[in-house]
Amino acid sequence: MPTPSMEDYLERIYLLIEDKGYARVSDIAEALDVHPSSVTKMVQKLDQTEYVIYEKYRGFVLTPKGKKVGKRLVYRHDLLEEFMRIIGVSNENIYQDVEGIEHHLSWDAIDRIGDLVQYFEEDKNRVEILRKVQKKNETENNKIN
């Protein structure tokens, strides 16, 4: 199983390849706000663990294992963002919150969150009911404060 740091790289590499058809060290470094040398070191680790095939000075590609994991990591991230939207987290907090929790949840928890997202998406009235509960709680909290 990849470490949280490896997951961040695999997720970014997968997205870059899906978007552009390739992923360069410089693109990854910019996206993750790290030095290119750090990317090179991580890509070498990902090569050793068979998530990518790396050839010095030639670049790298995801292995089937790397693609599978990358796709699942992107799914997890997107699912958690959608979950945050549904439960009413403000847009300016969603990305940071997802980044803070995504590596700390089991895949069982992710699957249950997926069930919950599906539950709300199947009937938009459920979201409206949740918003009413939230508004009621905010009103009550304002009275206390």
Side-chain angles (χ1 to χ4, degrees):
M1 204 60 199
T3 65
S5 181
M6 292 168 102
E7 287 183 347
D8 287 339
Y9 279 84
L10 283 169
E11 182 180 356
R12 182 56 48 198
I13 292 167
Y14 180 85
L15 286 169
L16 285 166
I17 290 173
E18 286 293 302
D19 185 43
K20 297 166 72 169
Y22 60 89
R24 297 181 313 198
V25 168
S26 59
D27 296 328
I28 298 164
E30 182 180 333
L32 295 176
D33 196 26
V34 297
H35 292 286
S37 60
S38 298
V39 175
T40 300
K41 287 178 188 172
M42 180 57 78
V43 169
Q44 290 169 342
K45 285 182 188 176
L46 293 171
D47 179 67
Q48 291 170 354
T49 52
E50 300 179 346
Y51 290 108
V52 303
I53 297 170
Y54 173 69
E55 295 180 29
K56 195 171 185 178
Y57 307 117
R58 300 203 63 197
F60 56 92
V61 294
L62 286 168
T63 63
K65 174 182 169 182
K67 281 183 186 176
K68 181 179 179 182
V69 171
K71 185 175 184 176
R72 185 121 164 105
L73 295 171
V74 169
Y75 163 78
R76 176 182 72 185
H77 188 98
D78 292 346
L79 175 69
L80 290 172
E81 281 190 0
E82 184 58 25
F83 174 69
M84 294 289 175
R85 276 187 205 89
I86 287 171
I87 64 171
V89 174
S90 62
N91 284 335
E92 63 264 10
N93 293 329
I94 288 176
Y95 182 80
Q96 199 66 29
D97 287 347
V98 169
E99 286 296 311
I101 66 170
E102 67 183 339
H103 301 295
H104 302 285
L105 296 172
S106 68
W107 285 103
D108 182 41
I110 296 297
D111 290 340
R112 299 300 67 81
I113 290 170
D115 296 341
L116 193 57
V117 167
Q118 180 181 348
Y119 172 80
F120 279 104
E121 288 177 341
E122 286 177 352
D123 184 349
K124 297 298 180 186
N125 288 327
R126 294 171 180 155
V127 176
E128 290 177 28
I129 293 167
L130 177 60
R131 295 291 176 265
K132 288 178 185 175
V133 168
Q134 289 170 330
K135 190 168 187 154
K136 177 183 171 229
N137 287 341
E138 284 177 18
T139 303
E140 289 177 8
N141 286 339
N142 286 338
K143 287 180 185 177
I144 294 170
N145 296 330

